[in-house]
Amino acid sequence: MSNGLRLEVSGLTKRFGGLAAVKELGFAVRAGEILGLIGPNGSGKSTVMKLIMGIERANTGQVKLDGVDISGWPSHRIARAGVGIVFQHSRPLGRQTVLENIKLALLPDSLWRLVADAGVDRKARSIAEQVGLGAVLDRKPSGLAFGDLRRMEMAKAIARDPKVVLLDEPFAGLTSAEVEAFSTLIRGFRDAGRAVLLVDHKVKSVAALVDRVLAMYLGENIAEGTTEKVMSSERVRQVYLGGKIESMDRAGETARGQAPLLEVEKATVHYGKAQALEAVSLQVCEGEFVSLVGLNGAGKTTLFNAISGLVPYAGTIQFRGRSLQRMTAGAIARGGVVQCPETRELFGDMTVQENLDLGGHHLPAATRARQLAWLYELFPVLGSRQTQTARTLSGGEQQMLAIARALMMRPALLILDEPTLGLAPVILNQLSEALQQLRQTREMTVLLGEQNVTFALPHADRIYVLEHAHIVWEGSPSRFVEEMGTIYFDDPVTLRRS
């Protein structure tokens, strides 16, 4: 190992068909150092982890462990050489206890030495105490809290005694107290002389923990250095926020004192044992354009899926004074709440017009024809591609088609989930102009979920900020502009509800 370098990555490139998920990426991590890897969805972070671990094979580039090129090795050989990974989703053996799961990780990986030595039980108990599992050693995974499941994954990683630890979203689904406890465990990896590569969407938690940060966007390194340097980078802020922040407050345009069209009260959602939303409340009045902003992983999509009847939730969600709790997703959509999902969900082998016809199949023929004509005016490029299949459209054109299909249903409330994800600036401008035209020509209520606040603010009457499954701020666009830096890059505890 030269100059203390444990992990060295150089020229790493991975293509999936015509898409370059990682482009000529290079970095190094020293023994006793934590490197944070940050970036929006689609940046290539998880792909980098898989390439290092041998789960995916790089097209070009090298990965070295202690100076030895491990590129192309199978995953089991890389693990044996000293690279451990803690996946975002726990994968315990369900029939074994916590102690047995840890002991299994301590067994020698040799067909000739399948029996553990006498010290394995003692060592497994010591590791369990180290990560805070001492009180639940005899429980099976099904009886563990979510945080304890994550601790068990940490324990299994420690048991392999790795030189390099890859941590994929270790804070996902954890409470604030659990995040702090896990941060202490991760610092323990560093104190033990291990090199740590940490990927997580919770930028503030990463920044408080790591020695250095590498920011990725569309597969490339856009900034690297100290936390302060990277977080103050104009390019990083542009990627997370979308560019220069401007607002257009619409004082007087939104009706005051009227009953809300949509009212969410203390909505809470769990995925298994992971909490994705906690007591989230918001309101949208008729004719309003409300923006819900937050970094990836904050819970925006989960909230929208709860409103749309796609995931179970605790709390109350009412539309036009009627509870949506026991309604199916189809009934909610027919009742006027229509979501345009982040993943678009188009029918790739069907044409533009066939996709739109599906959205308007419930309309009378004359109404459907008028709606189609209006949408082709709103998105002219779709009009010129009516007979083209959806899968052959560009990303921007697919996004326009997804929005148009949702509008084809003539929604009373349109929910747009991350419509700008992965789109080029010129397409963002076209979408922004289309939303402005929509607002000016139709009576429309919109709930927009976005990370790109440059896109979200110019249209918004009000802003909610969602962070770590909680609403942490609410107010006007102009006030958001004043406090933007605090909201996104500093401690949200300082924020106050308007």
Side-chain angles (χ1 to χ4, degrees):
M1 179 176 61
S2 60
N3 299 320
L5 294 180
R6 282 286 191 198
L7 180 69
E8 298 173 83
V9 173
S10 60
L12 204 60
T13 298
K14 176 63 179 178
R15 298 183 184 89
F16 295 99
L19 173 67
V22 179
K23 306 174 187 175
E24 293 291 326
L25 189 70
F27 60 85
V29 192
R30 298 178 180 277
E33 182 182 37
I34 303 175
L35 175 65
L37 199 58
I38 66 170
N41 277 341
S43 297
K45 306 182 301 298
S46 293
T47 301
V48 171
M49 302 281 264
K50 291 176 182 178
L51 292 171
I52 294 170
M53 199 64 211
I55 299 169
E56 296 283 357
R57 184 70 64 89
N59 295 100
T60 60
Q62 279 188 329
V63 177
K64 290 183 177 181
L65 176 66
D66 286 348
V68 177
D69 187 358
I70 61 173
S71 309
W73 288 13
S75 295
H76 67 86
R77 187 180 174 194
I78 292 173
R80 191 181 301 133
V83 181
I85 187 166
V86 179
F87 292 101
Q88 177 182 356
H89 302 292
S90 300
R91 294 172 171 84
L93 295 175
R95 295 182 179 181
Q96 274 65 47
T97 64
V98 169
L99 181 62
E100 289 167 341
N101 269 273
I102 299 173
K103 286 171 69 173
L104 185 63
L106 287 166
L107 289 177
D109 52 0
S110 168
L111 290 174
W112 307 107
R113 297 176 60 219
L114 291 177
V115 180
D117 62 48
V120 164
D121 186 84
R122 183 178 66 256
K123 189 172 182 180
R125 291 177 184 276
S126 174
I127 292 172
E129 291 288 347
Q130 182 181 339
V131 301
L133 291 173
V136 294
L137 282 175
D138 296 326
R139 290 189 191 176
K140 293 183 178 180
S142 60
L144 296 179
F146 179 77
D148 286 340
L149 283 172
R150 304 298 292 138
R151 285 185 176 87
M152 189 166 67
E153 294 302 311
M154 288 283 196
K156 287 157 64 178
I158 292 172
R160 301 297 301 175
D161 195 21
K163 302 172 184 176
V164 175
V165 183
L166 310 178
L167 298 172
D168 188 10
E169 301 277 358
F171 303 132
L174 299 181
T175 66
S176 297
E178 287 171 335
V179 167
E180 183 54 40
F182 271 69
S183 295
T184 300
L185 288 175
I186 295 168
R187 291 187 188 98
F189 287 140
R190 176 175 57 195
D191 295 343
R194 297 182 173 97
V196 179
L197 181 62
L198 168 64
V199 169
D200 208 282
H201 284 309
K202 296 186 176 180
V203 177
K204 296 183 184 71
S205 299
V206 172
L209 179 62
V210 301
D211 300 296
R212 290 186 297 116
V213 177
L214 189 157
M216 292 184 66
Y217 183 58
L218 299 181
E220 297 181 292
N221 178 342
I222 60 170
E224 184 176 359
T226 64
T227 298
E228 294 75 13
K229 176 184 175 182
V230 172
M231 293 306 181
S232 62
S233 163
E234 186 59 35
R235 178 65 170 139
V236 172
R237 286 178 176 264
Q238 186 178 46
V239 164
Y240 273 101
L241 306 176
K244 185 179 179 182
I245 306 299
E246 297 177 346
S247 69
M248 297 172 59
D249 274 5
R250 306 173 185 277
E253 289 189 23
T254 302
R256 300 290 180 181
Q258 63 175 309
L261 180 69
L262 175 74
E263 187 167 22
V264 179
E265 286 290 335
K266 297 183 177 179
T268 298
V269 175
H270 288 82
Y271 293 127
K273 296 178 181 180
Q275 187 164 52
L277 283 182
E278 183 174 358
V280 167
S281 299
L282 62 77
Q283 295 182 348
V284 182
C285 294
E286 193 156 5
E288 268 195 312
F289 194 124
V290 173
S291 291
L292 179 69
V293 300
L295 299 178
N296 292 327
K300 302 186 297 296
T301 297
T302 296
L303 175 60
F304 294 159
N305 286 344
I307 294 169
S308 298
L310 299 172
V311 297
Y313 59 90
T316 61
I317 299 178
Q318 292 188 327
F319 180 69
R320 287 178 169 158
R322 181 184 178 188
S323 173
L324 303 182
Q325 181 77 53
R326 299 186 183 280
M327 294 177 64
T328 65
I332 291 171
R334 288 190 296 272
V337 180
V338 178
Q339 180 181 170
C340 179
E342 176 184 9
T343 48
R344 298 170 188 161
E345 303 297 338
L346 298 171
F347 293 93
D349 293 325
M350 298 177 71
T351 66
V352 167
Q353 180 147 345
E354 287 169 341
N355 271 276
L356 293 176
D357 283 341
L358 280 176
H361 75 280
H362 63 295
L363 300 174
T367 303
R368 185 165 62 249
R370 286 194 300 271
Q371 195 76 351
L372 268 174
W374 168 64
L375 288 171
Y376 287 145
E377 289 179 8
L378 186 65
F379 299 111
V381 68
L382 298 182
S384 65
R385 287 166 169 56
Q386 296 179 42
T387 60
Q388 190 170 329
T389 58
R391 75 168 65 257
T392 64
L393 300 176
S394 69
E397 291 163 351
Q398 288 184 11
Q399 185 62 72
M400 293 176 191
L401 178 57
I403 295 173
R405 185 181 61 181
L407 289 170
M408 195 70 190
M409 295 187 67
R410 304 179 74 190
L413 171 64
L414 175 65
I415 298 176
L416 296 175
D417 188 4
E418 296 279 5
T420 70
L421 186 64
L423 300 184
V426 63
I427 303 300
L428 299 189
N429 291 336
Q430 293 174 18
L431 281 180
S432 187
E433 291 170 3
L435 286 181
Q436 187 64 24
Q437 183 180 344
L438 179 66
R439 181 171 191 134
Q440 292 171 349
T441 59
R442 294 289 172 111
E443 292 184 2
M444 182 67 63
T445 305
V446 177
L447 176 58
L448 168 69
E450 260 298 343
Q451 175 173 271
N452 184 337
V453 296
T454 300
F455 181 86
L457 260 65
H459 307 283
D461 295 306
R462 288 185 299 112
I463 307 289
Y464 288 93
V465 176
L466 188 65
E467 184 172 288
H468 297 183
H470 298 83
I471 296 289
V472 298
W473 188 91
E474 173 191 347
S476 68
S478 61
R479 190 172 149 229
F480 182 92
V481 171
E482 294 173 3
E483 301 177 4
M484 174 272 298
T486 301
I487 294 167
Y488 269 82
F489 293 102
D490 296 330
D491 187 350
V493 174
T494 61
L495 301 178
R496 292 293 179 266
R497 204 176 183 86
S498 66

